[in-house]
Amino acid sequence: DLPAEDRSLLRKAGRHPHRKQQAPMFLVTSSGRRAGLPDASELDLLRRVLRAVVDADDRRALHPAELTDEQGICVLELGGDPAAPGVTVTREQWDLSESAEAIPFPSFRPDLGDVAHLPRLDATWLIGMPPLPVGIQGDDRTLNLLLVVDDASELVIQGQPIMAGELAEAMEILTATFHGQGMGGRKGLPGRVVFASRRLHDALAPVLEQAGVKCEYRATLPKLQGVLESFVAHLGPGTSRPRRRGEAPRARRTEVPAPGDLVGWKAADGRLNERMSEHLVPGGRDRFNSTRAVKRYFGEDDLGHYLSEHRQRMVAEAYLAWIILDYRPTRASKTLAEQMLKQGLAEAEAMLLRAYPAGRFRFIEPAGPPLGPMMGSEATAFLQDCDMAFTPEGIRQDVHKFGWLWSWMEQWQSKQSTRSLCNTDGEAFVWHTASFSVADPQATKEILLGRDDIDYDDPQDEFVWSKETGPDNKMIGDTVTLGRIEFVADELVLTVNSARRLATARAWLEVLPGVTFLDVQTRAWDEAEEDRPLDERIAGLEPVEITPDMKVAIQAMMDKRYMEWINASLPTLDHQTPRQACRTEAGRQRVATLIRTIPDPTGPAPVRVPREVMLRELGLPVGATAVSAPGPGRAEAIDIQAIGPKNKVGRNAPCPCGSGRKYKKCCGGAAISHP
């Protein structure tokens, strides 16, 4: 809707905003004058100022200050060549007279990105920055722990150490958390936030309240303090809060919580962690740093490499869990866990240490690295090559080999970096957004609707260019979306994912009456979310609920794909198919293990891997599948009727079956056909 002059100015600047996309605009005003668009001289002045500010910042001459700073505020003076202005920076006292106080001075306002369009979560989050009882050698600043905790479940959504006073860093972390980069990947804004930090409240509350989030401040939040103590206990020996002078030792609780008492079991787990931390002090550090232990768990003795390279993947926690639960310096040695049990523990803590069920719950420790969705089968094959038997006894005997997966994961990822992402036609996946001028938009729309390969997406007000997949289809569904077309004022905007598809579409678009190519922009498929156009980040339409009929349709389509896997060439089987590998006894064992360890997919619709059917098809025994392989979630325990709002998929959201297509063009279409 911008006037042609403004669109021309943006196009000259290399910007081609689409519908619903934000575009930079400047308004200029001075005393006694209404705000308006800047003229050429004012834009030139703005460029000079920006160049000067960047130059001063590059020379580290900028020192922002409060109005009341004793050294004064930062003042920049420009001069010299307008193309390359010189700038001097001084500190000058600000006049705090009555007239000066009337001048608005901007306060710190965090840039949280486009949070207004994030999903709304029915939750209360607790946010604070309690100080940590640790520090960094050679740095006298206080270290805080930025915490985001769900009030109801006490799930830690975010927990990162930051230096005291680093408010900007805290904002970056919280922004990433709102956008789904916290633990559990929950994307959205909670309905209510309780802050234990006055600084965070004052900085964030105005922005969040504008987005409809209720905010409040409380000086103390016991739940955050409990999480902090558990975190400190996990850091290892010497980091637990020491007893203050005159403070009596805390009494050990001995009762066993009720089966459904999650709070009680979590408290017992916290006490167990404290005991582990205390028990590590006498000889645990020697075990942790032992070359023999490091080499047994990692397969090599470079402990520092793994601790630094995989810190965010909880490598220290996985290694420490193995040191406590499994490592014996000699054959006759007891593990640290066995020593703790012998010395005596409260019954609840002993049950947790022995990995007994904690009532209706289980508390787990990492054994090795977290694996991505494409790594499971190959990791299983690697452990098989390391002679690990996938039986309870075999895993117990070779549990240290899960630590070898850290090195294997690095090699796996190095191989993946050489691969490129392609579309369904094997073309390099690069987004292309092309603009065409249109003399008569309505006439062009009618021509598009007359094509067999164009459909109109009414809810999105877009045209969809697609083709049939053909008899050799390897995808779910019978059509492939080639591109999308929308009209913005008198322009036609085409979005495709490869250069070849752009060339193909441009060839038939430019022969349409009154359609002329203007320009094209490209961007990588893995571009950061905050760098994407606004219309690709806004919330979609209201989701539709997955009915039992839809669930049946999705399961049927996934069953078909899993059965096709039996005849697919797999790198983990030396490029044999599972059916071919089953010609030998060793291959039969490997294929059976692969099938039994395939995790159930997660998503709004619970999908089960048809393990028994797959095993029977290959003539393999099915008795070992009484307990299905665990998936990333607990889909096997979820009743589709009880999921509620989470059990919904938007019509234009990716299909939960994993095909990569939109739900309405995949399982949504198939499911809707069921009355």
Side-chain angles (χ1 to χ4, degrees), residues 510-538:
E510 286 189 298
V511 301
L512 301 182
V515 177
T516 305
F517 175 77
L518 295 175
D519 52 43
V520 61
Q521 288 183 311
T522 62
R523 59 184 178 84
W525 62 271
D526 57 350
E527 185 177 37
E529 169 116 0
E530 59 269 20
D531 296 330
R532 296 178 185 175
L534 178 64
D535 55 354
E536 293 186 16
R537 292 184 278 130
I538 61 177

Side-chain angles (χ1 to χ4, degrees), residues 619-637:
L620 300 173
V622 299
T625 61
V627 180
S628 62
R634 299 185 61 180
E636 65 276 10

Side-chain angles (χ1 to χ4, degrees), residues 538-549:
I538 61 177
L541 300 175
E542 282 296 316
V544 296
E545 185 172 356
I546 295 180
T547 66
D549 286 338

Side-chain angles (χ1 to χ4, degrees), residues 187-210:
K187 180 178 180 180
L189 294 178
R192 178 168 165 261
V193 175
V194 182
F195 292 93
S197 165
R198 171 62 75 178
R199 294 188 65 201
L200 287 179
H201 174 270
D202 293 346
L204 276 170
V207 179
L208 293 178
E209 288 175 345
Q210 190 174 1

